[in-house]
């Protein structure tokens, strides 16, 4: 491999790794596998991508066959502005031969090549690709995961292939101890294009002004251990041995070239040159956030927000789900939640638009692969995700619509692993005309096709897989709410003022099951005033106190601080337990917290009788915790 820097520091004998962008990209050769880091516009090495594009076009013009061409491109998150920036610089016929991407919606120029069958094209889950980098670094044969089962990346449903010219299988279905798993093939990385804030002449990199740390370390290690090269774009150069080692994100032993970027090619995001709030340099006041108008988006976000509970760890997808954060701010409950986004933000308030992925007043920023470890392992209590298309089986498509490739991004990881999923979106794909008067929703004109179709075009979320795991799943629109049951969708709520047949059923491509207790959506959703969610969350509604864990066959009930005032409250507890265990064929284990539980003395006997009936009918074992020895004795103590 040729020497990158020709000068040496005075008396040190060490090679200087700082080179021009053009000299760096000349090290990329025909047929190389190139991996890039970034999320939308955060961490995208724009200077390097621009240089690679210019070098390719120059080589083509001069008929130089030695330059970069026929590359395999691999990237985890979407990296672009939906127009010209980011990976769109690489959208030239001949430059790319194969693309393995996590999200395609922001790279229309590469999309076009895939649609026209001019490149091989794969879409794999964003979290899987970020984990693949670590497996490549460790020279493992593949990444083993349950993420993607039942979706379009499952080999039984296409294996992530996006067009006719893509034939090679990158995903295998395995059975390990009776459990289905997917093995995603690793591949060596020849070149990694990454970005940081500061470098020293030895290539040590820090990221103090970046909004995210992403997968930069895993990616650099993957390329280095593959025998490839690592090219880093930075905005400033520091003196040797001046960087705080605690701040060094990528050690210089992994970095081959450092390129000092032009300021206009090193914006913090594609919308912001630099925000001290996004880097965590400053905490900023949030009372300037504008209140949402009472429109379709706010109605949907408000209904979705009723699913929040105190101390929840939450993921919000891009687009319509972002409205849930706005409602949480309006309702003064943002402090009771931990909002997260998949590239590594924990806490604070997520940014939107081309700033998406960043956050203000965050609690922590962790690397993207670790965020997906947390997600895949069930760390999310609830996820709010976009609803582009749903079918009678509860399947959801957000990844492919006719010739348009959006890609899944982190959607598959998040929707498959979160304890509860709420899909949010308008009932129709177009913009409907409606008005809200006196707490009633009136549809005046419907535009576009209904999103509830007989069969989705692309299987991004498997209703059957989720139902088999007893995952709570809701589908929230402005005019109605569905939930996932064993055999598909069930309509459970409609908006006040909506005609069931005219405004809902007649427009759907299938007839859902209709709940026997079909009810109206909460009237507060359609009023101008705030809904009082903070008070509701502090009270913790009964339905939020029960959670069934399918993997452990255990029902967890948290009665901490709960009060029983009358026989109706006793019956409500019984009904909630029966509802939570509906459709579960075997008896379950129960773990119940009675700390600070209160009940009127004359209700103890009917309550105990109700509990004993539940014991006999539904429970294998019961573990109860209580600060009241008397109540514990009456109920049967611990491990009864």
């Amino acid at each position: 491999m040729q020497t990158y820097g020709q000068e040496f520091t005075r008396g040190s004998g060490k090679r200087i790794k700082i080179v021009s962008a053009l000299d760096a990209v000349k090290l990329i050769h025909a047929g190389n596998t190139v991996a890039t880091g970034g999320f939308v516009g955060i961490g995208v090495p724009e200077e390097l991508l621009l240089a690679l594009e210019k070098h390719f076009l120059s080589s083509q013009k001069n008929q130089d066959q030695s330059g970069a061409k026929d590359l395999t491109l691999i990237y985890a998150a979407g990296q672009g502005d939906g127009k010209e920036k980011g990976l769109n610089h690489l959208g030239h016929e001949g430059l790319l031969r194969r693309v393995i991407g996590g999200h395609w919606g922001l790279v229309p120029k590469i999309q076009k090549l895939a649609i026209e069958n001019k490149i091989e094209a794969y879409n794999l889950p964003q979290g899987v690709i970020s984990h693949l980098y670590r497996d490549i670094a460790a020279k493992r044969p593949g990444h083993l995961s349950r993420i993607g089962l039942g979706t379009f990346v499952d080999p039984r449903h296409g294996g992530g292939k996006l067009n006719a010219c893509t034939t090679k299988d990158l995903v295998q279905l395995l059975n390990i101890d009776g459990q289905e798993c997917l093995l995603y093939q690793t591949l060596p990385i020849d070149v990694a294009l990454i970005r940081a804030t500061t470098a020293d002449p030895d290539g040590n990199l820090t990221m103090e002004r970046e909004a995210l740390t992403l997968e930069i370390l895993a990616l650099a290690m993957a390329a280095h251990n593959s025998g490839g090269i690592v090219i880093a774009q930075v905005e400033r150069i520091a003196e040797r041995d001046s960087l705080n080692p605690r701040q060094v994100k990528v050690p210089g032993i992994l970095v081959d070239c450092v390129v000092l970027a032009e300021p206009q090619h090193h914006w913090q995001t594609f919308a912001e040159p630099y925000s001290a709030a996004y880097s965590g340099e400053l905490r900023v006041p949030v009372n300037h956030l504008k209140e949402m108008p009472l429109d379709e988006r706010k109605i949907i976000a408000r209904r979705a927000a009723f699913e929040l509970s105190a101390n929840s760890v939450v993921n919000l997808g891009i687009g319509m789900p972002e409205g849930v954060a706005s409602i949480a701010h309006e309702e003064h409950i943002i402090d009771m939640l931990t909002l997260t986004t998949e590239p590594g933000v924990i806490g604070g308030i997520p940014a939107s638009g081309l700033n998406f992925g960043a956050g203000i007043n965050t609690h922590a920023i962790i690397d993207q692969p670790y965020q997906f470890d947390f997600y895949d392992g069930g760390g999310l209590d609830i996820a709010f995700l976009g609803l582009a298309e749903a079918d009678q089986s509860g399947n959801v498509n957000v990844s492919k619509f006719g010739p348009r490739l959006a890609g899944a991004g982190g959607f598959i990881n998040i929707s498959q692993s979160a304890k509860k999923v709420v899909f949010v979106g308008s009932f129709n794909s177009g913009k409907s005309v409606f008005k809200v008067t006196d707490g009633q929703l009136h549809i005046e004109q419907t535009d576009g096709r209904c999103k509830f179709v007989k069969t989705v075009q692309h299987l991004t979320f498997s209703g059957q897989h989720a139902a088999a795991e007893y995952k709570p799943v809701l589908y929230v629109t402005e005019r109605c709410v569905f939930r996932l049951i064993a055999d598909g969708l069930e309509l459970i709520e409609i908006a006040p003022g909506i005609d069931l047949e005219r405004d809902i059923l007649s427009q759907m491509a299938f007839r859902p099951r209709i709940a026997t207790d079909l009810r109206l959506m909460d009237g507060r959703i359609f009023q101008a005033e705030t809904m009082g969610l903070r008070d509701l969350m502090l009270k913790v509604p009964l339905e939020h106190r029960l959670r069934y864990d399918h993997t452990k066959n255990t029902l967890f009930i948290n009665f901490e601080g709960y009060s029983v005032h009358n026989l109706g409250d006793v019956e409500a507890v019984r009904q909630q337990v029966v509802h939570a265990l509906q459709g579960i064929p075997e008896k379950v284990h129960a773990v119940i917290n009675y700390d600070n539980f209160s009940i009127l003395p004359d209700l103890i006997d009917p309550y105990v009788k109700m509990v004993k009936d539940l014991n006999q009918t539904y429970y294998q074992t019961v573990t109860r915790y209580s600060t009241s020895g008397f109540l514990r004795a009456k109920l049967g103590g611990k491990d009864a």
Side-chain angles (χ1 to χ4, degrees), residues 76 125 548 564:
Y548 175 69
V564 174

Side-chain angles (χ1 to χ4, degrees), residues 419 469-470 547-556 588:
K419 296 182 180 74
E469 295 192 339
Y470 303 98
R547 179 174 67 84
Y548 175 69
D549 187 326
H550 172 69
T551 60
K552 298 176 181 177
N553 190 34
T554 300
L555 177 67
F556 293 94
V588 305

Side-chain angles (χ1 to χ4, degrees), residues 441-457:
L441 180 67
H442 301 285
I443 309 294
E444 297 183 335
Q445 181 183 334
T446 295
D447 186 25
R449 69 181 185 89
C450 179
K451 291 183 179 179
F452 293 88
V453 299
K454 197 160 190 178
T455 305
V456 294
Q457 300 175 54

Side-chain angles (χ1 to χ4, degrees), residues 311-519:
N311 303 313
S312 293
V313 179
V314 182
N315 173 271
L316 300 176
I318 194 168
M320 190 72 78
E322 295 171 21
V324 177
S326 297
I327 297 301
H329 176 71
E330 288 180 23
E331 298 285 339
H332 306 291
I333 58 173
I334 205 85
D335 61 312
M336 301 171 66
L337 311 166
T338 301
L339 303 182
T340 70
T341 53
E342 58 268 30
V345 169
I346 297 177
I349 300 176
S352 60
L354 289 178
N355 292 323
F356 184 67
I360 62 173
N361 302 343
T362 59
H363 303 159
I365 303 290
I366 65 175
D367 289 0
Q368 182 169 250
Y370 291 110
Q371 186 80 307
F372 278 107
D373 287 336
F374 176 67
Y375 282 6
D376 293 353
L380 281 173
D381 294 307
I382 187 167
F384 297 89
L385 301 170
L387 172 61
E389 187 179 62
D391 68 18
Q392 58 190 340
S393 299
N395 302 320
V396 173
N397 170 29
V398 298
S399 48
K400 191 173 187 292
F401 307 91
R404 186 166 68 88
L405 301 176
F411 187 98
I412 294 176
N413 296 83
I414 295 164
S415 63
Q416 190 172 323
S417 303
K419 296 182 180 74
K420 183 175 185 176
V421 180
V422 181
F423 295 112
V424 294
S426 56
F427 189 74
N428 290 303
S429 57
K431 189 168 180 61
S432 298
V433 178
F434 67 92
K435 63 180 180 180
V436 180
T437 56
D438 299 324
Q440 303 267 313
L441 180 67
H442 301 285
I443 309 294
E444 297 183 335
Q445 181 183 334
T446 295
D447 186 25
R449 69 181 185 89
C450 179
K451 291 183 179 179
F452 293 88
V453 299
K454 197 160 190 178
T455 305
V456 294
Q457 300 175 54
H458 215 220
L459 198 54
T460 330
F461 172 81
S462 170
Q464 182 180 13
H465 188 271
E469 295 192 339
Y470 303 98
K471 183 191 295 291
V473 181
L474 292 181
Y475 308 74
V476 176
T477 77
E478 78 285 356
R479 65 186 73 177
C480 59
V481 180
F482 300 90
R483 73 177 169 201
L484 181 66
I485 57 175
D487 56 354
L489 292 189
E490 180 180 50
L491 180 64
I492 60 172
E493 295 178 26
I494 63 173
I498 288 294
D499 182 277
L500 175 60
E501 188 63 41
R502 181 192 67 228
D503 297 325
I504 298 174
L505 299 179
S506 66
Q507 298 186 40
M508 298 176 66
F510 61 94
R511 193 171 185 90
R513 178 175 294 189
I514 299 175
T516 54
D517 59 342
L518 178 66
R519 58 189 181 274

Side-chain angles (χ1 to χ4, degrees), residues 286-293 298 323 325-327 329-330:
V286 296
N287 54 7
H288 65 278
L289 294 179
K290 292 183 179 179
E291 187 172 314
M292 297 173 69
K298 184 166 188 173
S326 297
I327 297 301
H329 176 71
E330 288 180 23

Side-chain angles (χ1 to χ4, degrees), residues 106-216:
L106 298 171
V107 288
K109 292 192 174 183
I110 298 180
Q111 261 192 64
K112 187 172 184 291
L113 296 176
I115 291 165
E116 294 174 354
N117 273 295
K118 292 179 178 176
I119 57 172
E120 297 173 27
Y122 298 86
N123 183 200
L124 301 182
Q126 179 180 330
V128 165
I129 296 177
S130 71
H131 287 156
L132 270 173
Y133 296 145
R134 297 192 308 202
D135 292 316
I136 292 167
K139 292 230 165 78
R140 300 186 184 101
H143 175 67
L144 189 65
S145 176
R146 301 189 74 243
I147 297 299
L149 285 170
T151 73
F152 71 87
V153 298
D154 188 317
R156 294 166 292 191
H157 300 291
K161 305 181 189 77
L162 294 178
N163 60 15
C165 74
T166 305
T167 57
K168 184 177 180 181
D169 293 327
L170 298 184
V171 189
Q172 298 177 49
L173 178 68
L174 302 180
N175 191 296
I176 299 178
D177 292 333
Q179 293 285 320
E180 289 185 340
C181 299
L182 297 178
L183 182 69
Y184 294 87
Q185 177 184 321
T186 52
L187 67 165
I189 293 174
D190 301 306
V191 183
L193 303 180
I194 61 176
R195 180 179 122 165
T197 298
T198 309
D200 67 12
D202 296 328
N204 295 299
L205 306 178
T206 61
M207 303 185 72
E208 61 273 16
R209 285 169 58 88
E210 306 300 316
L212 298 167
T213 57
L214 297 167
E215 66 275 72
I216 179 173

Side-chain angles (χ1 to χ4, degrees), residues 532-600:
L533 279 188
R534 188 174 184 88
D535 289 340
L536 285 176
M537 287 179 62
L538 287 171
K539 291 176 181 176
V540 189
L542 181 59
E543 59 269 23
H544 292 170
R545 293 175 176 270
L546 288 78
R547 179 174 67 84
Y548 175 69
D549 187 326
H550 172 69
T551 60
K552 298 176 181 177
N553 190 34
T554 300
L555 177 67
F556 293 94
I557 305 177
N558 179 19
F559 281 139
E560 183 175 3
Y562 190 70
S563 299
V564 174
H565 298 288
N566 52 54
L567 288 174
D569 292 342
V570 176
E571 175 60 16
V573 170
R574 188 193 68 79
Q575 289 182 4
Q576 283 298 326
V577 171
V578 171
H579 178 73
L581 299 178
Q582 186 177 6
I584 299 170
E586 58 184 323
K587 288 188 174 184
V588 305
H589 304 286
V591 177
I592 308 169
N593 176 16
Y594 277 106
D595 283 350
N596 300 310
F597 173 87
S598 63
I599 183 171
L600 295 178

